[in-house]
Every structure is written in C-alpha cells, then in structure tokens.
Amino acid sequence: MRIRTPKIYKDKEELPEGTEVVDIVDSALKELFIVENPHFKNSPDNLGEQIKNFSSEYEKDIIWAYLPWKNIAIRMPSEAVYYKLRTARNRNIIREEEQEKYRNCHAGIVGLSVGSSILASLVMTGGPKKIKIADFDVLETTNLNRLRGKIFDIGKVKTDIAAKETWELDPFADLELWHEGVTKDTIENFILSPKLDIFIDEMDSIHIKILSRIICKENRIPVLMATDNGDSIILDVERFDLEPERPIFHGLLNDDDQKNLEDLTFKDWLKLATKIVDAEYLTPRMQESLLDIGLKKIPSVPQLGTTAAIAGAAVAYAVRQISNGVSLPSGRYTLGLESTISKNYNEEEQVVERKKRTEEFKSKFMK
C-alpha cells in the first residue's frame, strides 16, 4: 500500500471520523507576532491583549492539515504563515528574496541513501516545494546507520519513508514519488516531464548516471552529486546550464569506459566508480575499505550517517546558490572532517605518506 498525500481542509467538519487533532495555532501566531515585532522579544509580559488582537486577523486562514498515515490533523495557520515561521530563523543568512527563489526551484533526486539526507536538508531549510524523488529499494536494517527511518520502517519502500518524513515537516510539499526508481527508459521522463531546474544524482547505476548527464547536457540542466568518502564527502558540480559542451564527469571517463555498462560485474562497477571519483580524492580508510570488499571482510562500500549529513548540507547549499544565480562553478569540491579537524593531517610528512598509500592502492585495486 502506497503512502497517501496529505489533505488540506478549511473546515474541521471535513475531517475523517475519528481523526486526532493537534492544535498549534496559538503557539504559531504568538511566534508570528514576535517575528513581526521583534522588539517585544525580551518583553513578553502584558502582551496578551496585543497578541489576541494580532491573532484575530489570521482566524479566517486557519486550516487543518490531515496526515492519513497517522490519522492526525494539525490545526494550523495557512501555508504562507507556516512557511514564514518555519524560515524565520534563516534570516538574514538567507535573505527573503533568496528564500523565495530557493523555494520555487524544482529539484529531482534519484537514490535515497545519501539522497535521503539531501532531501531532509532541502526541506528543513525551506528549499524546493516541488521535488521528485526516486528509488526502487526498501529499507533494510543495515541502512539505518545513515538513512532517515525507524525500526518499524524496515521492509517499507524508501520513497514512502522519505515522503512521510518530508510531509510531517512540510505538509504543503509537492512531492512526485517514483517508487520503481528510474531505468534507461524512464530517466528522460524523470528529468524532463516536467523539466527539472536541478538534477541530483545519488544512484548506483553508472549506465543511468551517464544517460542522465547526456540528457541534462542537451537540456542545459545542472547536475549535483555528493559521494561519501570516509569522514569526508566529494561534491561534484556540473553546470550544464552554463557549459552545455562540458564533458560529463569532468572528462574522467573515456569513450571505452562508456560502453557495455548494463551488465557490469560488481568488481568492474567498483573500478569504474572509483575512476569517476578519482583515487586521488579517496581517504586512506576508504581506500583500505575498497580493497577489503569481497574478501570476506566487508560486503559493500561503507557509508556513515555523519558523512551523509555533510552531503545533505553541501548539496542543499549548492541548490540554493544555483537557484539564486550565485556563482558556483563546475568542478569537484571536498569537505572533510579529517582534513579540517584531525591533528597533523596537513603536515608535509602525512601528505607524502597519503600520496604513497594512494599509489599503492591504485596499483592493487585498478590492476
């Protein structure tokens, strides 16, 4: 059974029988009064009558947002008021006109591993109202170190879980759910029907990664991709909107690499994925992990929830910059806890040692 979208009602009598009602109106309008009259922030006494008069102006706009999967309706202010409150603490880090452009951007995310953190960061910061999300998979226990889900979500479809998390924060979000993921036959529709402003690639299929970039190049759509890298991430920005002739993956793949991709063995997939990422960027522990995959040590590429959180923040920032026309050039950007926090990480001796280990990794892994 697929998740049902929230319903917005103007009249309480329209609610399904037995609905539990949660009322946030008084709290929300009191906050709105302070948001619009910040000089009262530190003088909360004797404001009862002023807040009451202020709130009366919004009574006609009260709605009930009904969440079918919980059988709960939230009595709350209108979408515009709720959004204003939800983004009030963004100011002036995000200016009002920037917030509006960010909200009006239409984004699409394929892959809800790291993609679930990206979605959460976009929604939390008041980002795109319209978002397409695609993933064919269900939640497994081993996903819970990085995916936003709960123990009772195991076995459920990832798109449904992500939608539920989104709508419980923003019941006005306009989500398009692709429960079957995307294929070589459907990726064009995902990107172009209707056309995305930004495409976010967090999928595993290298074949479809390439197809999606060809489509985005032809239609001048920017592509973002965040890759886990130990305690770091690699953010790839491909501004096909500004550079339609730009080679995909920054030119890291040659023509031969782009052939016969539909039936790759896991080993060949891993080598090609590592070529796309570029071994020079991989942290020592990620290199070590890749060498251990399939040797009765670890079954797949390791990922951390803390790293996924960094990826979510980085991609949300990039979406905000692009949607506001701020300069964000194509290229590869790294954000790392190791390089920022770890003692001696950037000292020459350690830099030399990491280069040596990288050469040893490439000689073993890529042979």
Side-chain angles (χ1 to χ4, degrees), residues 5-6 8 63 78-83 86-87 98-109 118-119 121-133 162-163 166-167 169-177 194 196-198 200 319-320 323:
T5 61
I8 306 299
I63 61 167
S78 66
E79 177 181 357
V81 170
Y82 179 64
Y83 185 72
R86 204 164 65 77
T87 58
E98 294 172 335
Q99 190 77 63
E100 183 178 357
K101 290 177 182 177
Y102 185 33
R103 181 67 166 172
N104 290 332
C105 174
H106 187 188
I109 306 169
I118 293 170
L119 176 63
S121 293
L122 289 172
V123 175
M124 192 181 304
T125 52
K129 178 177 179 177
K130 296 184 68 172
I131 307 177
K132 298 181 188 182
I133 57 174
T166 297
W167 282 325
L169 175 59
D170 182 3
F172 307 101
D174 183 1
L175 300 182
E176 185 176 322
L177 311 183
L196 299 174
D197 295 315
I198 299 174
I200 301 166
V319 170
R320 177 157 53 94
S323 62

Short mmCIF file of all heavy atoms in Angstrom, two decimals, residues 5-6 8 63 78-83 86-87 98-109 118-119 121-133 162-163 166-167 169-177 194 196-198 200 319-320 323:
data_model
loop_
_atom_site.label_atom_id
_atom_site.label_comp_id
_atom_site.label_asym_id
_atom_site.label_seq_id
_atom_site.Cartn_x
_atom_site.Cartn_y
_atom_site.Cartn_z
N THR A 5 -1.05 11.16 0.05
CA THR A 5 -0.59 12.52 0.26
C THR A 5 -1.43 13.20 1.34
O THR A 5 -2.59 12.83 1.56
CB THR A 5 -0.69 13.34 -1.04
OG1 THR A 5 -2.05 13.38 -1.45
CG2 THR A 5 0.16 12.73 -2.13
N PRO A 6 -0.86 14.21 2.02
CA PRO A 6 -1.65 14.96 3.00
C PRO A 6 -2.82 15.67 2.32
O PRO A 6 -2.79 15.98 1.13
CB PRO A 6 -0.65 15.99 3.54
CG PRO A 6 0.69 15.43 3.23
CD PRO A 6 0.53 14.68 1.96
N ILE A 8 -5.42 19.06 2.77
CA ILE A 8 -5.60 20.34 3.45
C ILE A 8 -7.09 20.67 3.45
O ILE A 8 -7.72 20.76 2.39
CB ILE A 8 -4.81 21.46 2.76
CG1 ILE A 8 -3.32 21.06 2.61
CG2 ILE A 8 -4.97 22.77 3.53
CD1 ILE A 8 -2.61 20.80 3.92
N ILE A 63 -6.35 26.40 8.87
CA ILE A 63 -6.60 25.18 8.10
C ILE A 63 -6.34 23.96 8.97
O ILE A 63 -5.79 24.05 10.07
CB ILE A 63 -5.69 25.11 6.84
CG1 ILE A 63 -4.22 25.08 7.28
CG2 ILE A 63 -5.99 26.25 5.88
CD1 ILE A 63 -3.27 24.70 6.18
N SER A 78 -2.20 29.24 7.76
CA SER A 78 -2.10 28.99 6.33
C SER A 78 -0.68 28.61 5.93
O SER A 78 0.28 28.79 6.69
CB SER A 78 -2.51 30.24 5.55
OG SER A 78 -1.57 31.28 5.78
N GLU A 79 -0.55 28.11 4.71
CA GLU A 79 0.76 27.72 4.20
C GLU A 79 1.75 28.88 4.24
O GLU A 79 2.91 28.72 4.64
CB GLU A 79 0.62 27.21 2.76
CG GLU A 79 1.95 26.86 2.11
CD GLU A 79 1.81 26.38 0.68
OE1 GLU A 79 0.68 26.25 0.18
OE2 GLU A 79 2.88 26.12 0.05
N ALA A 80 1.29 30.08 3.83
CA ALA A 80 2.20 31.23 3.78
C ALA A 80 2.71 31.60 5.17
O ALA A 80 3.91 31.88 5.35
CB ALA A 80 1.49 32.42 3.16
N VAL A 81 1.82 31.57 6.16
CA VAL A 81 2.23 31.90 7.52
C VAL A 81 3.15 30.83 8.08
O VAL A 81 4.18 31.14 8.70
CB VAL A 81 0.99 32.08 8.42
CG1 VAL A 81 1.40 32.19 9.89
CG2 VAL A 81 0.19 33.30 8.00
N TYR A 82 2.79 29.58 7.85
CA TYR A 82 3.62 28.48 8.35
C TYR A 82 5.02 28.54 7.74
O TYR A 82 6.02 28.38 8.44
CB TYR A 82 2.96 27.15 8.04
CG TYR A 82 3.76 25.95 8.49
CD1 TYR A 82 4.00 25.71 9.84
CD2 TYR A 82 4.28 25.03 7.57
CE1 TYR A 82 4.74 24.61 10.27
CE2 TYR A 82 5.01 23.94 7.98
CZ TYR A 82 5.24 23.73 9.32
OH TYR A 82 5.98 22.65 9.73
N TYR A 83 5.10 28.81 6.44
CA TYR A 83 6.40 28.89 5.79
C TYR A 83 7.21 30.07 6.33
O TYR A 83 8.43 29.96 6.53
CB TYR A 83 6.22 29.02 4.27
CG TYR A 83 7.53 28.99 3.51
CD1 TYR A 83 8.24 27.80 3.38
CD2 TYR A 83 8.03 30.14 2.92
CE1 TYR A 83 9.44 27.77 2.69
CE2 TYR A 83 9.23 30.11 2.22
CZ TYR A 83 9.93 28.92 2.10
OH TYR A 83 11.13 28.90 1.43
N ARG A 86 8.51 28.96 9.62
CA ARG A 86 9.49 27.87 9.52
C ARG A 86 10.84 28.35 9.00
O ARG A 86 11.87 27.72 9.26
CB ARG A 86 8.92 26.78 8.60
CG ARG A 86 9.50 25.41 8.84
CD ARG A 86 8.66 24.34 8.22
NE ARG A 86 8.61 24.38 6.80
CZ ARG A 86 9.58 23.97 5.99
NH1 ARG A 86 10.71 23.49 6.49
NH2 ARG A 86 9.44 24.03 4.69
N THR A 87 10.82 29.46 8.29
CA THR A 87 12.08 30.00 7.75
C THR A 87 12.52 31.28 8.45
O THR A 87 13.50 31.91 8.04
CB THR A 87 11.95 30.28 6.24
OG1 THR A 87 10.87 31.20 6.02
CG2 THR A 87 11.66 28.99 5.47
N GLU A 98 16.06 35.51 -1.65
CA GLU A 98 16.80 34.26 -1.90
C GLU A 98 15.97 33.06 -1.47
O GLU A 98 15.95 32.03 -2.16
CB GLU A 98 18.12 34.29 -1.14
CG GLU A 98 19.11 35.33 -1.63
CD GLU A 98 20.34 35.45 -0.74
OE1 GLU A 98 20.25 35.11 0.46
OE2 GLU A 98 21.38 35.89 -1.26
N GLN A 99 15.30 33.20 -0.34
CA GLN A 99 14.45 32.11 0.15
C GLN A 99 13.35 31.79 -0.84
O GLN A 99 13.04 30.62 -1.10
CB GLN A 99 13.85 32.50 1.50
CG GLN A 99 13.15 31.37 2.23
CD GLN A 99 14.11 30.41 2.90
OE1 GLN A 99 14.85 30.78 3.79
NE2 GLN A 99 14.09 29.16 2.46
N GLU A 100 12.77 32.83 -1.42
CA GLU A 100 11.69 32.63 -2.39
C GLU A 100 12.18 31.90 -3.64
O GLU A 100 11.52 30.97 -4.14
CB GLU A 100 11.08 33.98 -2.77
CG GLU A 100 9.91 33.87 -3.72
CD GLU A 100 9.28 35.21 -4.07
OE1 GLU A 100 9.73 36.24 -3.52
OE2 GLU A 100 8.34 35.23 -4.89
N LYS A 101 13.33 32.29 -4.16
CA LYS A 101 13.87 31.61 -5.34
C LYS A 101 14.25 30.16 -5.03
O LYS A 101 14.05 29.27 -5.86
CB LYS A 101 15.09 32.37 -5.87
CG LYS A 101 14.72 33.71 -6.50
CD LYS A 101 15.96 34.47 -6.96
CE LYS A 101 15.61 35.83 -7.55
NZ LYS A 101 16.81 36.59 -7.94
N TYR A 102 14.79 29.95 -3.86
CA TYR A 102 15.12 28.60 -3.40
C TYR A 102 13.86 27.74 -3.32
O TYR A 102 13.84 26.59 -3.76
CB TYR A 102 15.79 28.75 -2.03
CG TYR A 102 16.35 27.52 -1.37
CD1 TYR A 102 16.91 26.46 -2.07
CD2 TYR A 102 16.36 27.44 0.04
CE1 TYR A 102 17.43 25.36 -1.42
CE2 TYR A 102 16.91 26.36 0.70
CZ TYR A 102 17.43 25.32 -0.02
OH TYR A 102 17.97 24.23 0.64
N ARG A 103 12.80 28.31 -2.79
CA ARG A 103 11.53 27.60 -2.64
C ARG A 103 10.93 27.24 -4.00
O ARG A 103 10.31 26.19 -4.17
CB ARG A 103 10.54 28.46 -1.85
CG ARG A 103 9.16 27.84 -1.61
CD ARG A 103 9.24 26.64 -0.70
NE ARG A 103 7.92 26.25 -0.20
CZ ARG A 103 7.71 25.14 0.49
NH1 ARG A 103 8.71 24.32 0.78
NH2 ARG A 103 6.50 24.83 0.94
N ASN A 104 11.10 28.13 -4.98
CA ASN A 104 10.48 27.95 -6.29
C ASN A 104 11.29 27.06 -7.23
O ASN A 104 10.85 26.78 -8.35
CB ASN A 104 10.22 29.30 -6.94
CG ASN A 104 9.12 30.07 -6.23
OD1 ASN A 104 8.23 29.49 -5.64
ND2 ASN A 104 9.19 31.39 -6.27
N CYS A 105 12.47 26.65 -6.81
CA CYS A 105 13.28 25.75 -7.62
C CYS A 105 12.64 24.36 -7.66
O CYS A 105 12.09 23.89 -6.67
CB CYS A 105 14.68 25.68 -7.01
SG CYS A 105 15.78 24.49 -7.77
N HIS A 106 12.70 23.70 -8.81
CA HIS A 106 12.17 22.34 -8.95
C HIS A 106 13.35 21.36 -9.05
O HIS A 106 14.12 21.40 -10.02
CB HIS A 106 11.30 22.25 -10.21
CG HIS A 106 10.57 20.95 -10.35
ND1 HIS A 106 9.87 20.61 -11.48
CD2 HIS A 106 10.43 19.89 -9.50
CE1 HIS A 106 9.33 19.42 -11.34
NE2 HIS A 106 9.66 18.96 -10.14
N ALA A 107 13.51 20.54 -8.03
CA ALA A 107 14.65 19.62 -7.96
C ALA A 107 14.20 18.17 -8.09
O ALA A 107 13.05 17.84 -7.80
CB ALA A 107 15.41 19.82 -6.65
N GLY A 108 15.13 17.32 -8.50
CA GLY A 108 14.87 15.89 -8.57
C GLY A 108 16.03 15.13 -7.98
O GLY A 108 17.19 15.45 -8.25
N ILE A 109 15.73 14.12 -7.16
CA ILE A 109 16.77 13.30 -6.51
C ILE A 109 16.53 11.85 -6.88
O ILE A 109 15.45 11.30 -6.65
CB ILE A 109 16.71 13.43 -4.97
CG1 ILE A 109 16.78 14.88 -4.53
CG2 ILE A 109 17.82 12.61 -4.32
CD1 ILE A 109 16.47 15.09 -3.05
N ILE A 118 19.97 14.53 1.74
CA ILE A 118 19.84 15.72 0.88
C ILE A 118 18.41 16.24 0.93
O ILE A 118 18.17 17.44 1.10
CB ILE A 118 20.27 15.38 -0.55
CG1 ILE A 118 21.78 15.08 -0.59
CG2 ILE A 118 19.91 16.52 -1.51
CD1 ILE A 118 22.26 14.51 -1.91
N LEU A 119 17.45 15.32 0.77
CA LEU A 119 16.05 15.71 0.83
C LEU A 119 15.72 16.38 2.16
O LEU A 119 15.08 17.44 2.20
CB LEU A 119 15.16 14.48 0.62
CG LEU A 119 13.65 14.71 0.73
CD1 LEU A 119 13.16 15.66 -0.35
CD2 LEU A 119 12.90 13.37 0.66
N SER A 121 17.69 17.94 4.22
CA SER A 121 18.33 19.26 4.32
C SER A 121 17.61 20.30 3.46
O SER A 121 17.44 21.45 3.88
CB SER A 121 19.80 19.17 3.89
OG SER A 121 20.53 18.39 4.80
N LEU A 122 17.17 19.90 2.27
CA LEU A 122 16.41 20.81 1.42
C LEU A 122 15.12 21.24 2.10
O LEU A 122 14.78 22.43 2.14
CB LEU A 122 16.08 20.14 0.08
CG LEU A 122 17.24 19.92 -0.89
CD1 LEU A 122 16.78 19.07 -2.07
CD2 LEU A 122 17.80 21.24 -1.39
N VAL A 123 14.39 20.27 2.66
CA VAL A 123 13.10 20.57 3.27
C VAL A 123 13.29 21.39 4.54
O VAL A 123 12.58 22.38 4.78
CB VAL A 123 12.34 19.26 3.57
CG1 VAL A 123 11.04 19.56 4.32
CG2 VAL A 123 12.04 18.52 2.28
N MET A 124 14.26 21.02 5.36
CA MET A 124 14.48 21.71 6.63
C MET A 124 14.81 23.19 6.43
O MET A 124 14.42 24.05 7.23
CB MET A 124 15.61 21.03 7.40
CG MET A 124 15.75 21.46 8.85
SD MET A 124 17.13 20.60 9.66
CE MET A 124 16.69 18.89 9.39
N THR A 125 15.54 23.49 5.36
CA THR A 125 15.96 24.88 5.11
C THR A 125 14.95 25.65 4.27
O THR A 125 15.23 26.77 3.83
CB THR A 125 17.33 24.91 4.42
OG1 THR A 125 17.31 24.06 3.25
CG2 THR A 125 18.44 24.44 5.35
N GLY A 126 13.77 25.07 4.05
CA GLY A 126 12.74 25.77 3.29
C GLY A 126 13.01 25.80 1.81
O GLY A 126 12.62 26.74 1.12
N GLY A 127 13.65 24.76 1.32
CA GLY A 127 14.03 24.69 -0.08
C GLY A 127 12.88 24.29 -0.99
O GLY A 127 11.71 24.50 -0.64
N PRO A 128 13.18 23.70 -2.14
CA PRO A 128 12.17 23.48 -3.18
C PRO A 128 10.87 22.88 -2.67
O PRO A 128 10.87 21.86 -1.98
CB PRO A 128 12.88 22.50 -4.13
CG PRO A 128 14.33 22.80 -3.97
CD PRO A 128 14.50 23.18 -2.53
N LYS A 129 9.77 23.51 -3.05
CA LYS A 129 8.46 22.94 -2.72
C LYS A 129 8.19 21.73 -3.61
O LYS A 129 7.62 20.74 -3.16
CB LYS A 129 7.36 24.00 -2.91
CG LYS A 129 5.96 23.47 -2.63
CD LYS A 129 4.91 24.55 -2.75
CE LYS A 129 3.52 23.97 -2.50
NZ LYS A 129 2.47 25.01 -2.54
N LYS A 130 8.62 21.83 -4.88
CA LYS A 130 8.40 20.73 -5.82
C LYS A 130 9.67 19.89 -5.93
O LYS A 130 10.72 20.40 -6.34
CB LYS A 130 8.01 21.28 -7.20
CG LYS A 130 6.69 22.02 -7.22
CD LYS A 130 6.32 22.46 -8.63
CE LYS A 130 5.98 21.25 -9.49
NZ LYS A 130 5.42 21.64 -10.81
N ILE A 131 9.56 18.63 -5.54
CA ILE A 131 10.71 17.73 -5.59
C ILE A 131 10.26 16.36 -6.10
O ILE A 131 9.27 15.81 -5.61
CB ILE A 131 11.38 17.55 -4.21
CG1 ILE A 131 11.73 18.90 -3.58
CG2 ILE A 131 12.62 16.67 -4.33
CD1 ILE A 131 12.34 18.78 -2.19
N LYS A 132 10.99 15.83 -7.06
CA LYS A 132 10.80 14.43 -7.48
C LYS A 132 11.81 13.58 -6.73
O LYS A 132 12.99 13.96 -6.62
CB LYS A 132 11.03 14.27 -8.98
CG LYS A 132 10.10 15.04 -9.88
CD LYS A 132 10.44 14.75 -11.35
CE LYS A 132 9.68 15.64 -12.30
NZ LYS A 132 9.97 15.33 -13.72
N ILE A 133 11.37 12.43 -6.22
CA ILE A 133 12.30 11.50 -5.57
C ILE A 133 12.08 10.11 -6.14
O ILE A 133 10.95 9.69 -6.35
CB ILE A 133 12.16 11.50 -4.03
CG1 ILE A 133 10.73 11.17 -3.60
CG2 ILE A 133 12.60 12.84 -3.46
CD1 ILE A 133 10.59 11.00 -2.08
N ALA A 162 10.70 8.44 2.92
CA ALA A 162 11.20 9.81 2.69
C ALA A 162 10.04 10.80 2.58
O ALA A 162 10.11 11.92 3.11
CB ALA A 162 12.06 9.86 1.44
N ALA A 163 8.97 10.40 1.90
CA ALA A 163 7.81 11.28 1.75
C ALA A 163 7.16 11.55 3.11
O ALA A 163 6.78 12.69 3.41
CB ALA A 163 6.80 10.65 0.79
N THR A 166 9.17 13.96 5.05
CA THR A 166 9.03 15.30 4.47
C THR A 166 7.70 15.94 4.85
O THR A 166 7.65 17.08 5.33
CB THR A 166 9.15 15.23 2.93
OG1 THR A 166 10.45 14.75 2.58
CG2 THR A 166 8.92 16.60 2.30
N TRP A 167 6.61 15.21 4.64
CA TRP A 167 5.29 15.78 4.87
C TRP A 167 5.00 16.03 6.35
O TRP A 167 4.17 16.87 6.68
CB TRP A 167 4.24 14.87 4.25
CG TRP A 167 4.12 15.04 2.77
CD1 TRP A 167 4.26 16.19 2.05
CD2 TRP A 167 3.82 14.01 1.81
NE1 TRP A 167 4.07 15.95 0.70
CE2 TRP A 167 3.80 14.63 0.53
CE3 TRP A 167 3.58 12.64 1.90
CZ2 TRP A 167 3.54 13.91 -0.64
CZ3 TRP A 167 3.31 11.92 0.75
CH2 TRP A 167 3.29 12.55 -0.52
N LEU A 169 7.01 17.38 8.26
CA LEU A 169 7.60 18.70 8.49
C LEU A 169 6.94 19.76 7.62
O LEU A 169 6.67 20.87 8.06
CB LEU A 169 9.11 18.66 8.20
CG LEU A 169 9.86 19.99 8.29
CD1 LEU A 169 9.73 20.59 9.70
CD2 LEU A 169 11.34 19.78 7.94
N ASP A 170 6.65 19.40 6.38
CA ASP A 170 6.06 20.34 5.43
C ASP A 170 4.91 19.66 4.68
O ASP A 170 5.11 19.08 3.62
CB ASP A 170 7.13 20.80 4.43
CG ASP A 170 6.59 21.83 3.44
OD1 ASP A 170 5.41 22.23 3.56
OD2 ASP A 170 7.34 22.24 2.53
N PRO A 171 3.69 19.73 5.25
CA PRO A 171 2.56 19.05 4.59
C PRO A 171 2.17 19.68 3.26
O PRO A 171 1.35 19.12 2.54
CB PRO A 171 1.42 19.20 5.62
CG PRO A 171 1.80 20.38 6.45
CD PRO A 171 3.31 20.40 6.49
N PHE A 172 2.78 20.83 2.94
CA PHE A 172 2.48 21.51 1.67
C PHE A 172 3.46 21.12 0.56
O PHE A 172 3.30 21.56 -0.58
CB PHE A 172 2.52 23.03 1.88
CG PHE A 172 1.65 23.49 3.01
CD1 PHE A 172 2.20 23.81 4.24
CD2 PHE A 172 0.28 23.59 2.85
CE1 PHE A 172 1.40 24.23 5.29
CE2 PHE A 172 -0.53 24.01 3.89
CZ PHE A 172 0.02 24.32 5.12
N ALA A 173 4.46 20.32 0.88
CA ALA A 173 5.45 19.92 -0.12
C ALA A 173 4.78 19.17 -1.27
O ALA A 173 3.92 18.31 -1.06
CB ALA A 173 6.52 19.04 0.53
N ASP A 174 5.20 19.50 -2.48
CA ASP A 174 4.64 18.89 -3.69
C ASP A 174 5.64 17.84 -4.17
O ASP A 174 6.53 18.13 -4.96
CB ASP A 174 4.41 19.99 -4.73
CG ASP A 174 3.75 19.46 -6.01
OD1 ASP A 174 3.47 18.25 -6.08
OD2 ASP A 174 3.55 20.26 -6.94
N LEU A 175 5.47 16.64 -3.65
CA LEU A 175 6.40 15.55 -3.97
C LEU A 175 5.84 14.67 -5.10
O LEU A 175 4.65 14.35 -5.12
CB LEU A 175 6.64 14.66 -2.75
CG LEU A 175 7.25 15.32 -1.51
CD1 LEU A 175 7.45 14.28 -0.42
CD2 LEU A 175 8.56 16.01 -1.84
N GLU A 176 6.73 14.28 -5.99
CA GLU A 176 6.40 13.30 -7.02
C GLU A 176 7.24 12.06 -6.73
O GLU A 176 8.46 12.10 -6.79
CB GLU A 176 6.71 13.85 -8.41
CG GLU A 176 6.28 12.93 -9.54
CD GLU A 176 6.52 13.54 -10.92
OE1 GLU A 176 6.30 14.76 -11.08
OE2 GLU A 176 6.94 12.79 -11.83
N LEU A 177 6.56 10.96 -6.40
CA LEU A 177 7.24 9.76 -5.93
C LEU A 177 7.39 8.74 -7.05
O LEU A 177 6.39 8.33 -7.64
CB LEU A 177 6.47 9.13 -4.76
CG LEU A 177 6.06 10.07 -3.62
CD1 LEU A 177 5.38 9.27 -2.50
CD2 LEU A 177 7.26 10.83 -3.07
N PRO A 194 7.61 17.10 -15.63
CA PRO A 194 8.08 18.37 -16.18
C PRO A 194 9.57 18.56 -15.95
O PRO A 194 10.17 17.86 -15.12
CB PRO A 194 7.26 19.40 -15.38
CG PRO A 194 7.00 18.72 -14.08
CD PRO A 194 6.83 17.27 -14.40
N LEU A 196 13.14 19.55 -14.79
CA LEU A 196 13.77 19.94 -13.54
C LEU A 196 14.64 21.18 -13.72
O LEU A 196 15.16 21.42 -14.79
CB LEU A 196 14.65 18.80 -13.01
CG LEU A 196 13.97 17.48 -12.68
CD1 LEU A 196 15.03 16.43 -12.31
CD2 LEU A 196 12.97 17.65 -11.55
N ASP A 197 14.79 21.92 -12.64
CA ASP A 197 15.77 23.01 -12.63
C ASP A 197 17.15 22.50 -12.23
O ASP A 197 18.17 23.02 -12.69
CB ASP A 197 15.34 24.10 -11.64
CG ASP A 197 14.06 24.79 -12.06
OD1 ASP A 197 13.93 25.14 -13.25
OD2 ASP A 197 13.17 24.97 -11.20
N ILE A 198 17.17 21.47 -11.37
CA ILE A 198 18.43 20.88 -10.90
C ILE A 198 18.22 19.39 -10.73
O ILE A 198 17.22 18.94 -10.14
CB ILE A 198 18.88 21.50 -9.56
CG1 ILE A 198 19.11 23.00 -9.70
CG2 ILE A 198 20.14 20.82 -9.04
CD1 ILE A 198 19.41 23.71 -8.40
N ILE A 200 19.78 15.90 -9.13
CA ILE A 200 20.69 15.43 -8.08
C ILE A 200 20.85 13.92 -8.21
O ILE A 200 19.88 13.17 -8.05
CB ILE A 200 20.15 15.82 -6.68
CG1 ILE A 200 20.00 17.33 -6.59
CG2 ILE A 200 21.08 15.30 -5.59
CD1 ILE A 200 19.18 17.80 -5.40
N VAL A 319 22.22 23.81 -4.19
CA VAL A 319 20.91 24.07 -4.81
C VAL A 319 20.49 25.52 -4.56
O VAL A 319 20.01 26.21 -5.48
CB VAL A 319 19.85 23.10 -4.25
CG1 VAL A 319 18.44 23.52 -4.70
CG2 VAL A 319 20.13 21.67 -4.71
N ARG A 320 20.70 25.99 -3.35
CA ARG A 320 20.33 27.37 -3.03
C ARG A 320 21.14 28.37 -3.84
O ARG A 320 20.62 29.37 -4.35
CB ARG A 320 20.52 27.61 -1.53
CG ARG A 320 20.23 29.02 -1.08
CD ARG A 320 19.90 29.09 0.40
NE ARG A 320 20.88 28.45 1.25
CZ ARG A 320 21.89 29.09 1.84
NH1 ARG A 320 22.08 30.38 1.63
NH2 ARG A 320 22.71 28.43 2.63
N SER A 323 19.98 28.16 -7.60
CA SER A 323 18.63 28.69 -7.81
C SER A 323 18.60 30.21 -7.68
O SER A 323 17.69 30.86 -8.19
CB SER A 323 17.65 28.06 -6.82
OG SER A 323 17.98 28.36 -5.48
#
